[in-house]
Amino acid sequence: MPERDSASPREPLALLVLAAAALAASAVGPTDRTTWWLEAAPVLIAAPLLIGTWRRFPLTPLAYRLIFLHALVLVYGAHYTYAQTPFGFWLQELLGIARNPYDRLGHLMQGIVPALIAREILLRRSPLVRGKWLFFLVCCVVLAVSAAYEFLEWWGALALGQQAEAFLAMQGDPWDTQWDMFLALIGAVLAQALLVRRHDRELAALPLSPLRQPV
């Protein structure tokens, strides 16, 4: 029997409308149109999936809010390119570092958000319960997602040649790929260390989705 959420759809709908508005705004006069498509692609793919699964498998409010924040990070970076975001330049000056760190923030979010989604799916659709194994496997899922994204960046670089520089946002760092995956892992650890109590409460509140206790 499919799970249904009796909660009001107003908040997910409002977040969807706001994300769509941000996406549309970011598409107006971007720094590089090809990079915009590449960076905005996760939002363009995720939105229909979330709409299509909302009734059969609604996520927790926390998950939807984090997905929305991640979408904002993506479309903002898509508009300016990650290496040229004004917010990133402000952080660069504030921290006194040599590069625009906005892409680091993007990859940290690439760990936080998939971690909560993976945790939610595993708790609701698998025999796993809360505990060390769940923590470990969620980290593994996040690293797999991060590695898959690095593969996509690699293939994009091969296909686009010099045009891929803005998409990769390496800024001359030969260890950029390793930093990206490491930050995704840090995001997964932080999400599970800081957000699980809130997440567990929201999971327990979902109809027909009792939260299993660890053994």
Side-chain angles (χ1 to χ4, degrees):
M1 183 176 180
E3 297 182 25
R4 291 185 180 274
D5 191 351
S6 59
S8 169
R10 290 181 180 177
E11 183 179 347
L13 179 59
L15 294 177
L16 177 64
V17 171
L18 290 173
L23 178 69
S26 77
V28 178
T31 300
D32 183 89
R33 180 61 65 181
T34 300
T35 300
W36 184 89
W37 280 108
L38 292 171
E39 299 290 4
V43 180
L44 296 170
I45 293 170
L49 290 175
L50 292 171
I51 293 170
T53 59
W54 182 80
R55 290 191 178 278
R56 291 181 57 85
F57 194 79
L59 301 177
T60 56
L62 177 62
Y64 282 128
R65 291 165 190 164
L66 288 173
I67 291 169
F68 170 70
L69 290 177
H70 195 188
L72 294 185
V73 170
L74 288 169
V75 300
Y76 182 74
H79 180 79
Y80 291 102
T81 77
Y82 275 51
Q84 300 182 56
T85 56
F87 179 68
F89 284 132
W90 177 79
L91 281 178
Q92 181 181 357
E93 183 176 356
L94 177 68
L95 300 174
I97 55 180
R99 57 168 285 159
N100 186 316
Y102 188 79
D103 65 315
R104 305 300 197 208
L105 173 62
H107 286 281
L108 188 68
M109 290 297 293
Q110 194 184 68
I112 293 172
V113 178
L116 263 293
I117 295 173
R119 187 176 190 272
E120 186 154 332
I121 293 172
L122 289 172
L123 280 174
R124 294 170 65 183
R125 292 302 198 196
S126 82
L128 282 169
V129 295
R130 291 180 296 145
K132 295 178 181 178
W133 276 110
L134 177 64
F135 188 97
F136 172 73
L137 290 175
V138 166
C139 288
C140 289
V141 169
V142 168
L143 282 174
V145 170
S146 181
Y149 191 79
E150 296 302 324
F151 285 151
L152 291 175
E153 287 190 341
W154 172 36
W155 296 333
L158 292 176
L160 298 173
Q162 292 296 323
Q163 286 183 295
E165 185 176 348
F167 174 51
L168 296 175
M170 293 180 67
Q171 302 183 63
D173 185 356
W175 304 107
D176 187 70
T177 297
Q178 288 77 12
W179 267 110
D180 291 349
M181 296 180 67
F182 177 67
L183 285 165
L185 176 61
I186 293 298
V189 171
L190 289 175
Q192 295 184 88
L194 301 177
L195 301 175
V196 290
R197 290 186 179 181
R198 172 68 176 272
H199 195 217
D200 285 346
R201 288 197 300 269
E202 293 189 3
L203 284 171
L206 287 176
L208 304 180
S209 181
L211 181 64
R212 291 183 291 272
Q213 298 297 318
V215 294

